[in-house]
Amino acid sequence: RNSDAAYQPLNLLPKKEVGVHIKLEEGIVEAVCFEQIPNWGDAIGGFTVGFYAWNTDYKTTIAGTPICEQTFENIPDATELTYTPSVEIGPGEYLFLIHNPVDESGSGIGIYNQQASNLGDSRFIEGFLNGKSNNRVGPGAYFVIYLPAAEE
């Protein structure tokens, strides 16, 4: 987190998608941990997160079937949220996508956005907002990556 100014809530309604194109050289993604979920004072609403195998560009990638995904519902305001992939996400290129936001109360559901904080990380290739390249977009989350010990 660079500063409070660079870490702002991003309401996902109406129907925004946030994606991060990443390249994993080694290891296995064990979890993606969101530091806080802004839900503007209630526990109504949620969204879907998941991994797609990267294929040429954003549009082609999301036209494919997700490798794994999970829908979170009724997320309490300011809670931490952990997504554990249901299958192994090992070395390769992926799109991590946050999409299909819902909130029946109308107050909104969102994520915290880390503006431009990933630009120095070689694993971060590109951010997306609603399918358009935007390197000022990145979820306020961290990836937990397991690195198996080298065999002797």
Side-chain angles (χ1 to χ4, degrees):
R1 160 172 165 165
N2 292 337
S3 72
D4 289 336
Y7 196 71
Q8 298 293 323
L10 173 65
N11 196 330
L12 296 175
L13 292 173
K15 301 294 180 195
K16 289 186 176 90
E17 292 182 347
V18 174
V20 181
H21 177 190
I22 63 169
K23 183 175 184 178
L24 189 60
E25 297 279 346
E26 61 181 331
I28 299 165
V29 176
E30 288 194 339
V32 180
C33 302
F34 293 86
E35 296 170 7
Q36 286 190 42
I37 300 295
N39 204 350
W40 289 271
D42 63 34
I44 301 168
F47 49 75
T48 301
V49 299
F51 283 93
Y52 289 76
W54 185 258
N55 182 3
T56 312
D57 57 29
Y58 183 93
K59 187 175 181 179
T60 305
T61 298
I62 66 167
T65 303
I67 298 169
C68 58
E69 66 180 3
Q70 182 176 347
T71 299
F72 292 92
E73 298 175 336
N74 302 319
I75 303 169
D77 186 33
T79 193
E80 293 180 8
L81 183 73
T82 300
Y83 167 59
T84 304
S86 58
V87 299
E88 186 174 293
I89 304 295
E93 286 190 41
Y94 302 97
L95 177 70
F96 178 71
L97 186 64
I98 304 159
H99 60 118
N100 294 330
V102 295
D103 181 359
E104 296 81 11
S105 75
S107 65
I109 183 74
I111 60 166
Y112 276 91
N113 182 42
Q114 299 184 78
Q115 296 179 358
S117 64
N118 297 312
L119 294 179
D121 188 337
S122 63
R123 295 169 291 195
F124 175 82
I125 297 174
E126 190 172 17
F128 294 92
L129 180 60
N130 295 333
K132 295 183 180 170
S133 180
N134 185 333
N135 282 336
R136 296 183 50 81
V137 173
Y142 57 91
F143 289 71
V144 178
I145 299 172
Y146 169 68
L147 297 171
E151 295 192 30
E152 297 181 32

